[in-house]
Amino acid sequence: MQDASEKTTYLQGLAGRAAAAEQLAADVRRAHAESAAEFDRVKERLRRSQQDEVGRTRERMIAAFFEVGDSLDRSLEAAQSPSASLESLGAGVAMVRDQLFRALAELGVERFDPRGETFDPASHEAIGIVPVSDPALDGKVVEVLKPGYRAAGRVLRPALVQAGRLAS
């Protein structure tokens, strides 16, 4: 009888451990599901936050150019005045141009003129090769048709240039 009693006790112990293991597995599954749901909620909050920040940045960038547009309007009005001179119009346009470049600089945009630098296809776009007699100008930017622009170390627009090549 002792053997049957021991077996029963042993089986009851196994059943208890199996029930505990099943409960632990259910708890782990539930915790995993809760963690996954929280992860999805955090991911969605981050996505919305990122979209909001992109929108605010876009608005700041656009607002930087309102003053430039207003200045252009004033320049056009002044140009239609009977007392407007070519010199005053030129000075007004230069002021608006400077205002534009200040707005770009405030946004982190840098204008660059690579004249005299070694030609670099990563930041210069060559539209022609100019024969040069000076060996120091070989492979250098000898003329800039349009300056380049960069921000945060990235080229936004390469400079449009002509590079020198030693005439043979």
Side-chain angles (χ1 to χ4, degrees), residues 86-149:
L86 218 46
E87 292 81 23
S88 66
L89 182 59
V93 170
M95 287 172 47
V96 174
R97 179 182 170 275
D98 292 344
Q99 186 179 30
L100 170 67
F101 291 132
R102 277 193 308 276
L104 288 171
E106 288 173 8
L107 294 171
V109 177
E110 173 195 356
R111 185 175 195 232
F112 66 93
D113 182 328
R115 193 176 322 271
E117 295 178 10
T118 299
F119 177 78
D120 176 7
S123 58
H124 309 142
E125 182 179 337
I127 62 159
I129 303 294
V130 175
V132 293
S133 56
D134 182 354
L137 295 176
D138 188 36
K140 303 283 185 179
V141 173
V142 295
E143 188 174 346
V144 177
L145 290 97
K146 289 183 180 179
Y149 294 89

Side-chain angles (χ1 to χ4, degrees), residues 14-137:
L14 285 179
R17 284 191 295 212
E22 287 175 9
Q23 181 61 45
L24 179 61
D27 292 346
V28 168
R29 281 192 297 274
R30 186 174 39 260
H32 178 271
E34 289 170 3
S35 293
E38 179 61 19
F39 178 75
D40 288 342
R41 287 189 297 272
V42 168
K43 207 166 61 167
E44 179 60 24
R45 277 195 307 271
L46 286 173
R47 185 190 64 73
R48 279 194 314 267
S49 176
Q50 184 180 25
Q51 283 180 333
D52 291 347
E53 183 59 29
V54 166
R56 284 190 298 275
T57 300
R58 183 180 304 126
E59 290 167 4
R60 281 193 305 272
M61 291 176 64
I62 292 167
F65 293 98
F66 292 154
E67 288 300 318
V68 174
D70 294 343
S71 294
L72 284 170
D73 288 340
R74 285 190 297 275
S75 294
L76 289 170
E77 288 171 14
Q80 294 175 2
S81 166
S83 63
S85 69
L86 218 46
E87 292 81 23
S88 66
L89 182 59
V93 170
M95 287 172 47
V96 174
R97 179 182 170 275
D98 292 344
Q99 186 179 30
L100 170 67
F101 291 132
R102 277 193 308 276
L104 288 171
E106 288 173 8
L107 294 171
V109 177
E110 173 195 356
R111 185 175 195 232
F112 66 93
D113 182 328
R115 193 176 322 271
E117 295 178 10
T118 299
F119 177 78
D120 176 7
S123 58
H124 309 142
E125 182 179 337
I127 62 159
I129 303 294
V130 175
V132 293
S133 56
D134 182 354
L137 295 176

Side-chain angles (χ1 to χ4, degrees), residues 145-161:
L145 290 97
K146 289 183 180 179
Y149 294 89
R150 65 179 145 234
R154 295 184 62 196
V155 174
L156 302 175
R157 181 180 89 179
L160 196 58
V161 303

